Every structure is written in structure tokens, then in C-alpha cells.
Amino acid sequence: SFPTRRSSDLLKLTAKIAETEAYFGLTEIGRENYKPATEYLASAEKLCRKNNLKQTYADICNWQGLAALLTKDYPLAHTKLTQAYTHTQSLATSSFATEMLARLNLKQKKYKQALSLTDTALKLYQEQKHQAGIFETLYLKAEIYYIKKDYTTSRQILTALIKEKTPPSAIYYPANAYTLLGAVELKENNLSKARTLFKQAADLEHAQNRLKGAALDYNNLAELERLSGAEAKAQTYLTQALKYAEEIDDDELKSYLKAKLK
């Protein structure tokens, strides 16, 4: 039998409530408030299961997987992201789940699996012409190659990213590419190139008031100057990095930088 108008309206209302709670959860993830995030998402998931809201359920599983990944609960992340992939026919949901599974495998040092999943995610994003997803996945691929010490391939990807115009909706930020490319040059002892790239990254971060990123870039510059034997310059960069860490009140970063300062 078909649902009555009243039951149909009630289902639509329930779907909206589930979506609203899910978005509250996603907002809290963005604020790094993971406990309320998981509570909102669990409540939304319960509504979806009860009312057979399959697509919303799949999206919520993705966000639960993301929260678990960020809080290092890797078994839960794998379960939720796999559920998202299994329960959706949406390319957007599938591509996000695949990208997050690639990130999970990278965290677990399963580099071969991570690269394979990254390639799959990239194809899914390309099929949708989802430029932000393409950029973010390419950066992830460069990061994996960097960790694998394949600096040539990492450099090629990062150089291509820097030349492209970043989509406004991308979470990926171009300063990240400059920073990682600087790290590649540093690994290969190209100190002058690395210095230029770290400075470009710091300028981009500072211009957008992304102070944690700027602090990390100044820390990189300090490391580089120490390798060059310029200890005074290294101390200057570390002092600036600490200033930014104090502005954003990042206790972990503050402790790390204070330990490096003489």
C-alpha cells in the first residue's frame, strides 16, 4: 500500500530532522568538537535506520567515518566508511568514502592500498567533474609518494597543482602544496629551492590568517636554517612560529616549539 499524504509528510519531516542533526554533527567536526559531533550523528543515524532513509544514512556513515579517522579510531572509521560505500548509489558519497579510506590506509602505513584507493577516488571525482575533489585527491597522492620517498613523482604532482587555479570549494589549500614541495626539495638537499617554497607557503598562510599553517612553515624554515648553520635565523623563525601558536592557543604546538627554542 502507498503511504497516505499524512505519513508521507511525516517521513519528509523526519528526513529533514535527520539531515539537520547530521549537519550539526558535521559542523562540530569542523570545530574539532568530536563528542557532540558523534552524538548528533548517532541520533541522525538512528532516525535514518528507523525510517529507511538510505542515502542520508550513507552520508552520515561517511561523516562518522571522518570523525573516527580524526580521533584515530581506525577500526570504527573503516566500518563506517565501508558502510557508506556499500549503502549508496551516489557518486559523490562513493568518491568521498573512497578518498577517506585512502587516507585511513595512509594512516595505517598501507601505502599500496592507499594509492590504489586514491586512484579509484580520483576516477570517481573526474567522472563527476568535481574539481575540488580532484585537487584534494591529487594532493593526497603526492603526500603518499612523499612518504614512500618517491620524491620525483611527488614533485611532479605538486608542481602541476601549484600551476592550476584552486577551486573555491576545495578544502585543499595551495599553501599545502608549497609546503610539501619545499619538504621534497629539503629531502634532496636543494636548500635554496626549499627556502623559497616555505616562504611562499608562509606568505599564503599569513594572508589568509591561517596561523597554524604559518607556524608550521616558520618551523620548517627554522629547520632549514639550522641545516645551513644559520642558528640565529633559526631562532628568529622559531620565535615567530611560537608567537602564532600562542595566538591560536595550540598547546601541543606551543610545547613542541618551546622545546626547540634555546
Side-chain angles (χ1 to χ4, degrees), residues 1-236:
S1 62
F2 291 99
T4 63
R5 180 177 179 81
R6 185 174 179 182
S7 65
S8 178
D9 288 345
L10 183 60
L11 185 61
K12 288 178 183 177
L13 178 60
T14 303
K16 286 296 180 187
I17 293 170
E19 288 171 9
T20 301
E21 293 220 16
Y23 281 115
F24 279 143
L26 189 59
T27 300
E28 293 299 335
I29 290 173
R31 294 171 178 165
E32 299 183 5
N33 297 327
Y34 298 117
K35 188 174 185 298
T38 55
E39 289 170 354
Y40 276 124
L41 291 171
S43 176
E45 181 193 3
K46 187 176 179 181
L47 282 171
C48 290
R49 284 183 176 276
K50 185 177 179 180
N51 295 278
N52 199 31
L53 303 169
K54 292 182 180 179
Q55 182 52 51
T56 306
Y57 169 75
D59 289 330
I60 289 167
C61 284
N62 260 340
W63 299 337
Q64 288 173 316
L66 173 61
L69 180 59
L70 292 170
T71 54
K72 300 181 180 180
D73 187 344
Y74 298 149
L76 180 61
H78 183 270
T79 297
K80 290 297 181 180
L81 294 167
T82 302
Q83 286 174 340
Y85 189 88
T86 304
H87 287 85
T88 187
Q89 294 182 340
S90 162
L91 276 177
T93 306
S94 298
S95 51
F96 184 84
T98 307
E99 180 195 342
M100 290 302 111
L101 283 166
R103 294 182 186 279
L104 173 60
N105 276 271
L106 175 58
K107 292 288 186 183
Q108 296 176 314
K109 299 182 179 180
K110 299 174 182 177
Y111 304 129
K112 185 177 179 180
Q113 295 94 318
L115 276 174
S116 177
L117 286 161
T118 301
D119 285 337
T120 302
L122 192 56
K123 287 176 184 176
L124 289 168
Y125 281 130
Q126 287 169 337
E127 191 173 341
Q128 301 164 73
K129 298 182 180 178
H130 190 302
Q131 291 301 313
I134 292 168
F135 266 62
E136 287 151 19
T137 308
L138 283 170
Y139 178 80
L140 174 60
K141 195 169 183 179
E143 190 176 8
I144 296 168
Y145 279 118
Y146 172 78
I147 292 168
K148 283 169 58 65
K149 299 182 180 180
D150 184 345
Y151 302 129
T152 299
T153 305
S154 184
R155 181 190 286 110
Q156 288 171 348
I157 296 169
L158 292 166
T159 302
L161 280 175
I162 286 170
K163 290 178 179 178
E164 291 289 331
K165 185 177 180 181
T166 308
S169 58
I171 298 171
Y172 156 83
Y173 192 65
N176 298 345
Y178 284 97
T179 299
L180 188 53
L181 188 53
V184 168
E185 298 298 349
L186 187 58
K187 287 288 185 181
E188 298 201 328
N189 205 35
N190 300 322
L191 301 189
S192 179
K193 286 184 179 179
R195 184 181 289 107
T196 299
L197 288 160
F198 288 146
K199 285 182 177 179
Q200 287 175 306
D203 288 345
L204 284 169
E205 300 283 23
H206 190 267
Q208 295 296 322
N209 203 35
R210 287 167 45 102
L211 297 187
K212 183 168 185 175
L216 294 171
D217 284 316
Y218 279 118
N219 174 66
N220 288 333
L221 283 164
E223 292 287 344
L224 189 150
E225 295 304 343
R226 277 186 171 163
L227 285 172
S228 303
E231 185 59 36
K233 280 188 177 181
Q235 292 293 305
T236 299

